[in-house]
Amino acid sequence: MDGLGDIQGTGKNKHSLMHNLYKTGIARLHQDITIVGAGLTAASRRVVVQALPECHILASELDSWQVVRFCTLVGPSILIVDEESLLQLKCEQVPAAEYLSTVQVLLLCRKCNEASYKSALLAGCSGALALDSPSENLRKAVKTIGEGDLWYPRSVLSALARRSILSRSILRKKLTARETEILRLVGMNQKNQAIADQLFISRDTVRWHLRTLYSKIGVNNRLEAHQYALKHYGDFYEAESSREDSPSEPVLL
């Protein structure tokens, strides 16, 4: 096997191992992108070695920090892990998302389903592939990820995008009762001090609520908030206008 092959190291030898990787390993990695396997089960390892003989399999004794360190030393790399090694990463001191954000990661799953895709996405993996997929698919996945794209079914990414848009829309509409009051008054061209006086709160509190509701409704300034209020609370303003225009009832003495 060209490259580092099966890299071993345990106990006190781990630190010297990383030093030796730097001295002897990098010079032998001549590809633009290095493929690395870490913490793989025997089954996953067989699949990877068969499909990607150029992959460098790291010993299971190496912890997440050492794997990340190795990938950093060799430059652009794609790290292949399986569900067992991903679960182990989540149990270590270094959070899996932080670990996986350092390199591009492909997750091998025993069976790919919605749960496994979701787990891979939340962990920051660039792709997920079933362990029994043809060798050609594994090579295609590595090539796609190496080009900066994701390797997930289109339906999974579409569903993720729809949920993201929907949740953002719902979040924007979930104003508190106080934020709704302030936004309606902004739509009536009320200044901060006038709003504070009407609601019996401080002007600083009004400003704090404004910053929060700007973020929720997706506007950047008071003018945009005013336009948003007019668009969404038109019925409220019409009712207020009708109430003000109606003649006052005579007061009985």
Side-chain angles (χ1 to χ4, degrees):
M1 178 188 301
D2 179 43
L4 297 179
D6 191 5
I7 302 167
Q8 303 292 332
T10 59
K12 295 182 179 179
N13 294 328
K14 288 183 179 180
H15 296 291
S16 59
L17 167 66
M18 297 309 300
H19 179 68
N20 291 334
L21 289 177
Y22 181 79
K23 290 179 62 179
T24 64
I26 297 179
R28 300 170 65 186
L29 298 178
H30 54 80
Q31 298 177 348
D32 293 336
I33 295 180
T34 303
I35 307 171
V36 180
L40 299 175
T41 62
S44 300
R45 183 169 175 156
R46 284 194 298 270
V47 170
V48 171
V49 170
Q50 180 180 358
L52 302 164
E54 69 273 26
C55 180
H56 306 284
I57 306 295
L58 301 185
S60 57
E61 292 85 358
L62 296 178
D63 59 30
S64 60
W65 181 89
Q66 290 173 314
V67 174
V68 170
R69 177 64 173 161
F70 173 75
C71 292
T72 302
L73 290 175
V74 300
S77 56
I78 296 175
L79 176 62
I80 300 177
V81 299
D82 55 25
E83 292 171 305
E84 285 74 12
S85 52
L86 183 63
L87 181 61
Q88 180 181 351
L89 291 175
K90 292 181 179 180
C91 296
E92 293 185 0
Q93 293 181 349
V94 180
E98 179 180 340
Y99 168 85
L100 298 179
S101 65
T102 311
V103 294
Q104 294 175 302
V105 178
L106 174 62
L107 175 66
L108 295 180
C109 309
R110 284 187 293 273
K111 289 185 178 180
C112 281
N113 51 38
E114 185 177 354
S116 57
Y117 286 132
K118 182 179 180 180
S119 177
L121 283 166
L122 291 177
C125 297
S126 298
L129 185 70
L131 195 59
D132 59 356
S133 298
S135 297
E136 183 61 24
N137 284 7
L138 180 53
R139 297 195 67 86
K140 286 181 180 179
V142 169
K143 182 176 184 295
T144 298
I145 293 173
E147 293 172 349
D149 293 324
L150 297 176
W151 185 268
Y152 289 101
R154 181 172 297 180
S155 59
V156 171
L157 295 178
S158 296
L160 177 67
R162 285 195 299 270
R163 284 196 294 267
S164 177
I165 294 172
L166 180 61
S167 62
R168 185 182 294 261
S169 175
I170 293 174
L171 176 63
R172 286 182 175 179
K173 294 179 181 179
K174 290 181 94 172
L175 298 179
T176 65
R178 179 66 82 192
E179 289 166 351
T180 300
E181 287 180 312
I182 292 175
L183 182 57
R184 284 173 173 173
L185 291 172
V186 168
M188 298 169 68
N189 291 317
Q190 297 289 325
K191 303 299 183 183
N192 286 358
Q193 188 59 61
I195 295 174
D197 293 341
Q198 290 187 54
L199 301 181
F200 302 101
I201 57 179
S202 70
R203 187 169 62 176
D204 287 339
T205 301
V206 173
R207 293 173 61 186
W208 183 84
H209 280 303
L210 284 173
R211 286 196 297 268
T212 304
L213 71 86
Y214 283 3
S215 176
K216 286 186 176 182
I217 65 177
V219 302
N220 298 310
N221 51 55
R222 198 180 192 91
L223 176 60
E224 292 180 0
H226 174 77
Q227 294 171 340
Y228 181 97
L230 293 180
K231 179 179 179 180
H232 291 82
Y233 300 119
D235 293 341
F236 169 80
Y237 297 126
E238 289 180 7
E240 284 291 303
S241 177
S242 300
R243 188 167 60 85
E244 292 176 359
D245 293 340
S246 61
S248 58
E249 296 181 1
V251 178
L252 299 178
L253 300 178

